[in-house]
Amino acid sequence: MAKPREPWNIRPARKRASLTAWIKTEVEMKAKDLIESVLKPKHVLPPKKGVQFNYITDIGAKWYRNYFYFFSIYACPGPQALTPTFESRFARMEPHGDGKFALYFMRYTGKEWVGIFDALSVDECMKAI
């Protein structure tokens, strides 16, 4: 496994990696397996009665441009809710070529991605998530 990054070294050097359809399919299949077997049973729970807080209703993953994102869908049960649901991304995989990825998480402010690892394989990324 790759070593953790220093906190001040948030972004790696920009290097556009080309993605093949095979790598995209492999990432999607392994992410779907991780979501169905680990993340959903642990984090998608029925809402508590009488509580009007947001709760997770679904977890998913998708490609957007050159990044692969993991996201959760929250329900807003309160009467003052602007929308009944909203989506929040919590992890991002950035390809670096040769089947290696950089792994990021969304900072608590929800405004910037923080890099955790560089040069992980798909399996190592799924294990870290």
Side-chain angles (χ1 to χ4, degrees), residues 57-88:
T57 58
D58 197 15
I59 296 176
K62 64 183 174 185
W63 285 99
Y64 181 70
R65 296 187 179 157
N66 204 29
Y67 304 111
F68 189 71
Y69 291 97
F70 285 85
F71 62 90
S72 27
I73 297 176
Y74 287 82
C76 306
Q80 291 87 13
L82 298 175
T83 61
T85 62
F86 67 93
E87 181 180 300
S88 177

Side-chain angles (χ1 to χ4, degrees), residues 29 81 112:
M29 297 287 288
E112 70 178 316

Side-chain angles (χ1 to χ4, degrees), residues 1-52:
M1 197 175 217
K3 66 178 188 169
R5 293 181 173 187
E6 295 85 15
W8 57 86
N9 186 8
I10 294 174
R11 305 210 184 271
R14 287 286 179 208
K15 176 181 153 186
R16 286 281 177 197
S18 62
L19 288 172
T20 63
W22 183 81
I23 290 176
K24 282 188 171 187
T25 305
E26 178 189 10
V27 170
E28 289 171 0
M29 297 287 288
K30 290 185 179 185
K32 184 177 178 182
D33 183 46
L34 174 71
I35 290 167
E36 295 299 327
S37 63
V38 178
L39 297 179
K40 278 188 179 180
K42 186 175 181 181
H43 298 287
V44 179
L45 304 171
K48 297 184 184 200
K49 293 183 181 180
V51 179
Q52 293 188 2

